[in-house]
Amino acid sequence: MAHPVRRNIAHLSASERQAYVDAVLQADLHAFSDGVSYWDKQDQIHQATHNHGDNSFIPWHRELVNRYEALLRQSNPDVALHYWDWTEDPRTASDGQGGTVDLTDPSLFGTFSGMLNGALASLHNGGVLPGSREDTGDPADPPQSVQRSASVGNPALASDQVILDSSNGIAQAQQWTAFRVALEGAHGFAHGYIGGDIGGQHQAFEDPFVFLLHSNVDRLFAQWQTIPGQDWRLDPGQVYGDQATTTGEGGIQHPLQPWDGTVPFGAPMEPWIGASPLIEVKDCRHPSVVRPPCYDTLPLTVEQIAPIPPAALSFVDVVEQLPTARALRLRVRGCETVTAAASVTSPFTVLSASVTSPETKGFGVTDLLVWVLYTPGSAGTADTGTLTVTVSPTGQEFTVPITATVVPNPSVATSLVLDTSGSMSLPSGLPSKDRMGVLHDSAPLFVALLDPTDGVGVVRFDTDAAPVTAVVDAGPTIGGAGRLAALNAISTTATNLAGMTAIGDGLEAAAAQLAPVAAGYDSTATIVFTDGNETAERTIEQASASVNSRVFAIGLGTADQLNPGALSDIANGTGGYLLLTGNPGVDDQLLLQKYFAQVLAGATNAAIVVDPTGVVPVGGKVIVPFQLTDADIRTDVLLLGDLTAVLRVEIIAPDGTSLTAGAGADETLGDAFRVLRVVPADVLPAPARAAGQWQAVLTVDEGDLKNRLARLRKELSQIEGGDQVFKRTLGAVDTHGVPFTLSVQARSALRMTAALSQQSRLPGHPGRLEVTLTDSGVPLSGRAAVHAGVTSPTGITSTVTLAGAEPGLYRGEIPTSVSGVYRILVSAAGADLRGTRFTREELRTLAVWARGDDRPPVVTHPGTGAGTSGIDVCGLLLCLLRDDNIRDLLKRHEVDPDVITRCVKRACG
């Protein structure tokens, strides 16, 4: 509910004034824990904490007024702490309608000549000493009387404008002091004008009229703060000018008493004593003190700040066919909400024809966004239009020209950096393949998914690095020269059994081959594949300065084996990320395929719609539904797995249109993947739309299955234990069917980005996950639910629900309890800007290990002279002795690894 606006008490209706008086009386009927009523507590506070004649006078009284208003609103939420315009005689105050009102009427605030009478007379003891606080010394008792002796006629006070102008013409740093002196002086004169008890500091807050006076003090402070062009006065760090650093009693940085649990005179008072949760320590710079409350005299302004007039709302160089949004940004300053009614000429549309600014607590500065949507045509086209926005209640009209030009889909130049060190010969989780074999079968998917205008090159590294193929356009899906060269480079990549691991060398080689061609592409990306810890120079740290592209990294192995801190840091720092497989397993190849596919999606800003797994029974079918929206302009359906060649795929659009390979869908087939690419606008008859539920229907070609199983049996017969592996595979197919992983990716204007960060890589320290969702560049506010499915190193699964932090932004923490690699499936589901359901998924990994925060040791080969090189044996031994698996092995043989480490260090000097 909006907070009521503080208004001139004389301008209120009779019922509104009566509601205010009733709220004051209610404040005298409710008490704090010490028995002192809400009303009497105000006088107790004021007597114990005099703030006059110093810098804190105005902000301290704002805090007092704000807190008192909150007490009044406990009995009536519609009541505000209204003000007395002290340039008018309360007995003949203008009612704002051409007449006058007598505020001293007994039904209101009582006489201004003598003892307070009428409705509020119950706030004092009727002139009787016994039982009064003067008699008992108890602040819970009423004062003996409340006396007034007002002067005749209007107060001889300066006008509001004179007070507001008091700081004009002097340096900003001194303006606060000039204004404060002028306002406090006027305030003192107003006290004296009423006379009687209100004229004395020790009795002023026994008179209920005092809060109308101090609300006017605060109103003038608020008006001074909100003068257009003086936004610095809303800044806690600037409003007090050169007095902002004053301390001690009355200083800007002195805690506001008694609410901090202290008072300058006597003992602290209830309820702000001891360990009370009501104690609040803050000073005059606190935002709640600096932020002006809402008064009816504060300005309401609306200003166009983007695009800066007369510039056009620009859709320059937007990507063909990809829905895009741009916003007219209006800055609203004031207490009221404003509504912008928008219209636009074709081919542009507005997201909403009416947009209302958010409510503010107190005077606020907020931005109102009017979103314009544009679905561009083909590259080379251009459009113009006009946006017209009318704002109420200000009546302003903003007319904004719109221009648009369309460019082809952006291209990315990629460098694949492949590890050929000796450890790539180690077994993978698959019985028939070493780690290099897994690379051979998983990396080609990345190359297959590249667009013809994307660039690709290959670098290999072990102890040193060398480029294999230069970065050139991938070319056509079938027979593209760059694509074929990269695929050949991957298939012929072989392990160097004596090779060490110099990841930094690989990064530098990639940077060197990307630099000459970067200008010919819209972006660049480096994709690192490695299975080991850094054991040779150059290191990632040494090479980091040369990296000018986004870095995506795929690690085959555990955190202990890879020690991936530096690699993770450089990936995260460039807008990429690191994915780890964890312990070797039978799903390594499938997992790496998914990683390569996702990395390409990340490099090209594609979106992953859904990523399920399952089995297709022989003789049956599986239907996988997935949601597309009108923001999805191209879709890739990826089937992954060793047996995908035996599967047949039919894609069914929401209108029932059937699409198959060569009939509405372009197909790319590899040894362990099948990709069907669909452009909905090209294959769906008008007016059919992409938005809605699609289906991927999977069946098994039994002839192809028979042939593939025969080849697999022959391949496995060549390795030890292969016959048993084949029997298990055949049994699984017979019992359950052909396994698959299906991943749907979309070139889309609806994007999810997931960023994972760690303050520590030690077990027990959580990872911080931050997810953003946008549609055509517009944050999806309150339209989605975001979850993270977490699989721990031990296989335990859990779900973390991310909380909405701000429009389109979600945050959560991923707990870690044991060392290892945590796989995190980030999923979002909701509605896009047009109300269509959508899903998005992305994989991330998080690694923690016992020495996760240690700087990794590096084995170097210094080469002390020309033609000489060697291995740093000391460094090698120290590196090995830090590996948890080796340490565990030594301990099992009753060898203390720490003793060995000390011996090596002594021997190596």
Side-chain angles (χ1 to χ4, degrees):
M1 187 181 81
H3 195 291
V5 175
R6 298 176 185 176
R7 299 156 57 199
N8 186 329
I9 190 73
H11 292 181
L12 270 59
S13 67
S15 61
E16 288 172 326
R17 279 191 291 269
Q18 187 60 53
Y20 178 84
V21 171
D22 290 345
V24 174
L25 292 171
Q26 285 296 313
D28 197 41
L29 297 177
H30 293 81
F32 289 99
S33 55
D34 57 355
V36 179
S37 73
Y38 291 173
W39 165 248
D40 290 324
K41 182 65 68 174
Q42 309 313 306
D43 180 55
Q44 185 186 14
I45 290 171
H46 198 259
Q47 291 205 40
T49 54
H50 292 305
N51 280 270
H52 297 86
D54 49 43
N55 282 299
S56 67
F57 165 72
I58 295 175
W60 183 89
H61 279 86
R62 170 172 284 177
E63 179 73 7
L64 180 70
V65 165
N66 287 348
R67 286 174 175 268
Y68 177 61
E69 181 183 62
L71 296 174
L72 295 180
R73 296 187 72 233
Q74 287 187 19
S75 62
N76 187 344
D78 294 327
V79 165
L81 210 171
H82 302 296
Y83 64 90
W84 163 50
D85 178 357
W86 61 32
T87 64
E88 294 188 336
D89 186 335
R91 291 158 289 205
T92 56
S94 168
D95 65 1
Q97 303 296 321
T100 60
V101 62
D102 182 6
L103 297 177
T104 67
D105 185 275
S107 65
L108 297 175
F109 297 98
T111 182
F112 265 37
S113 300
M115 187 165 62
L116 173 61
N117 63 346
L120 295 175
S122 62
L123 300 182
H124 62 81
N125 210 36
V128 177
L129 178 62
S132 70
R133 69 183 58 157
E134 288 88 345
D135 174 47
T136 65
D138 187 347
D141 291 329
Q144 181 177 347
S145 65
V146 175
Q147 300 288 336
R148 297 169 178 157
S149 56
S151 303
V152 177
N154 290 337
L157 273 163
S159 69
D160 290 356
Q161 198 60 51
V162 169
I163 296 172
L164 295 173
D165 292 345
S166 61
S167 60
N168 289 359
I170 60 177
Q172 178 176 313
Q174 284 83 53
Q175 288 185 26
W176 161 254
T177 299
F179 170 72
R180 178 186 66 78
V181 170
L183 180 57
E184 188 168 5
H187 141 272
F189 190 94
H191 272 274
Y193 166 80
I194 298 172
D197 290 322
I198 207 172
Q201 290 184 4
H202 291 283
Q203 299 84 32
F205 278 74
E206 296 172 353
D207 188 333
F209 204 81
V210 73
F211 275 105
L212 302 182
L213 186 158
H214 269 278
S215 183
N216 196 55
V217 172
D218 190 62
R219 176 183 69 90
L220 289 168
F221 178 28
Q223 274 194 248
W224 180 78
Q225 289 182 275
T226 58
I227 293 173
Q230 305 293 335
D231 282 354
W232 62 271
R233 294 175 180 172
L234 300 171
D235 183 346
Q238 298 188 69
V239 59
Y240 303 115
D242 60 9
Q243 301 301 299
T245 58
T246 53
T247 56
E249 297 290 341
I252 294 299
Q253 296 190 19
H254 192 271
L256 297 176
Q257 300 170 308
W259 307 289
D260 71 334
T262 69
V263 292
F265 310 107
M269 68 180 67
E270 291 275 6
W272 306 284
I273 62 172
S276 169
L278 297 178
I279 290 176
E280 184 177 10
V281 180
K282 62 183 180 181
D283 61 33
C284 302
R285 301 167 300 169
H286 194 275
S288 66
V289 179
V290 174
R291 184 186 306 116
C294 287
Y295 290 91
D296 58 1
T297 59
L298 299 190
L300 175 65
T301 62
V302 181
E303 175 188 10
Q304 179 182 333
I305 62 169
I308 300 173
L313 192 64
S314 175
F315 288 85
V316 172
D317 292 347
V318 297
V319 176
E320 58 182 345
Q321 311 300 331
L322 192 68
T324 307
R326 297 287 187 269
L328 169 68
R329 186 180 294 269
L330 301 176
R331 181 146 296 165
V332 181
R333 301 172 75 259
C335 290
E336 298 180 60
T337 60
V338 303
T339 299
S343 62
V344 69
T345 57
S346 181
F348 305 94
T349 60
V350 289
L351 175 60
S352 176
S354 180
V355 186
T356 300
S357 64
E359 291 184 351
T360 62
K361 184 178 181 181
F363 186 93
V365 179
T366 60
D367 285 351
L368 181 65
L369 301 179
V370 179
W371 288 99
V372 176
L373 304 179
Y374 175 53
T375 300
S378 300
T381 58
D383 287 298
T384 59
T386 302
L387 171 67
T388 303
V389 176
T390 303
V391 178
S392 62
T394 66
Q396 295 165 272
E397 183 173 281
F398 299 90
T399 302
V400 184
I402 307 174
T403 60
T405 57
V406 185
V407 297
N409 186 69
S411 58
V412 58
T414 62
S415 178
L416 287 170
V417 182
L418 307 180
D419 188 348
T420 58
S421 63
S423 57
M424 289 293 290
S425 64
L426 295 176
S428 69
L430 297 169
S432 61
K433 297 175 183 176
D434 61 12
R435 295 180 178 184
M436 185 59 73
V438 171
L439 172 63
H440 288 163
D441 287 341
S442 57
L445 177 62
F446 179 93
V447 179
L449 291 172
L450 289 168
D451 275 358
T453 56
D454 291 333
V456 60
V458 177
V459 167
R460 296 175 184 149
F461 74 93
D462 43 65
T463 307
D464 295 299
V468 183
T469 63
V471 176
V472 296
D473 285 357
T477 303
I478 299 176
R483 204 181 303 269
L484 290 175
L487 290 172
N488 181 65
I490 293 170
S491 66
T492 58
T493 296
T495 303
N496 175 8
L497 294 176
M500 301 175 74
T501 307
I503 301 174
D505 276 352
L507 288 171
E508 288 188 340
Q513 73 167 193
L514 287 170
V517 301
Y521 297 89
D522 295 287
S523 64
T524 59
T526 300
I527 292 84
V528 179
F529 180 92
T530 184
D531 79 328
N533 186 10
E534 295 182 276
T535 56
E537 293 184 338
R538 290 178 58 85
T539 66
I540 295 171
E541 183 178 5
Q542 292 166 336
S544 60
S546 66
V547 176
N548 295 304
S549 67
R550 282 184 295 170
V551 174
F552 297 88
I554 297 174
L556 178 59
T558 67
D560 284 329
Q561 293 164 346
L562 290 158
N563 209 336
L567 192 55
S568 178
D569 286 343
I570 196 169
N572 292 339
T574 60
Y577 47 80
L578 166 67
L579 296 172
L580 300 172
T581 60
N583 288 313
V586 294
D587 65 345
D588 276 358
Q589 179 175 305
L590 186 60
L591 189 60
L592 286 172
Q593 284 182 306
K594 294 174 71 170
Y595 284 1
F596 273 113
Q598 180 175 298
V599 161
L600 181 63
T604 59
N605 293 320
I608 299 171
V609 177
V610 70
D611 192 22
T613 60
V615 292
V616 183
V618 179
K621 66 181 178 180
V622 168
I623 298 175
V624 180
F626 58 93
Q627 294 284 338
L628 294 184
T629 76
D630 284 333
D632 302 325
I633 63 172
R634 191 183 80 185
T635 301
D636 289 339
V637 177
L638 285 63
L639 273 175
L640 309 178
D642 276 340
L643 298 179
T644 54
V646 309
L647 296 177
R648 296 295 173 263
V649 186
E650 179 189 14
I651 300 173
I652 301 177
D655 69 342
T657 300
S658 174
L659 308 170
T660 56
D666 295 329
E667 184 180 56
T668 302
L669 185 62
D671 289 339
F673 64 85
R674 182 188 295 271
V675 180
L676 275 75
R677 177 164 290 176
V678 175
V679 179
D682 292 345
V683 296
L684 298 184
R689 300 166 55 226
Q693 186 180 87
W694 292 62
Q695 294 178 339
V697 182
L698 309 182
T699 56
V700 178
D701 185 307
E702 295 187 40
D704 284 350
L705 176 61
K706 181 178 179 180
N707 292 334
R708 180 69 185 95
L709 288 174
R711 291 197 305 272
L712 180 62
R713 181 173 190 172
K714 183 176 181 180
E715 292 168 5
L716 291 176
S717 67
Q718 306 300 314
I719 64 172
E720 184 178 350
D723 290 340
Q724 292 300 317
V725 173
F726 177 76
K727 288 180 181 179
R728 287 197 298 270
T729 302
L730 183 61
V733 170
D734 288 341
T735 304
H736 304 291
V738 175
F740 72 90
T741 287
L742 184 144
S743 180
V744 178
Q745 297 188 3
R747 176 158 290 162
S748 179
L750 199 159
R751 294 174 178 167
M752 178 178 80
T753 61
L756 193 58
S757 61
Q758 296 172 263
Q759 287 191 329
S760 170
R761 295 186 175 93
L762 297 176
H765 291 265
R768 296 179 178 178
L769 180 61
E770 186 170 283
V771 174
T772 59
L773 283 168
T774 59
D775 184 356
S776 305
V778 183
L780 288 176
S781 176
R783 294 173 175 262
V786 182
H787 304 279
V790 182
T791 302
S792 76
T794 57
I796 297 174
T797 60
S798 60
T799 300
V800 175
T801 299
L802 276 66
E806 56 187 71
L809 177 63
Y810 301 81
R811 292 192 178 109
E813 289 195 342
I814 308 301
T816 66
S817 56
V818 297
S819 294
V821 175
Y822 292 75
R823 295 180 190 171
I824 302 158
L825 178 62
V826 183
S827 60
D832 70 358
L833 294 178
R834 301 154 194 83
T836 305
R837 301 298 299 173
F838 75 87
T839 60
R840 290 293 184 265
E841 293 185 358
E842 283 199 21
L843 274 169
R844 291 291 186 272
T845 59
L846 178 72
V848 293
W849 65 104
R851 294 174 180 80
D853 289 344
D854 293 352
R855 183 172 180 174
V858 176
V859 177
T860 62
H861 53 104
T864 56
T868 64
S869 63
I871 295 178
D872 181 356
V873 177
C874 292
L876 173 60
L877 289 173
L878 290 171
C879 177
L880 293 173
L881 286 165
R882 287 178 179 269
D883 184 273
D884 285 341
N885 292 324
I886 292 176
R887 293 176 67 86
D888 290 342
L889 179 64
L890 290 172
K891 289 176 181 178
R892 286 198 298 271
H893 288 80
E894 298 183 349
V895 177
D896 188 337
D898 292 327
V899 172
I900 302 297
T901 300
R902 288 194 295 270
C903 291
V904 172
K905 288 182 177 180
R906 283 197 300 269
C908 294

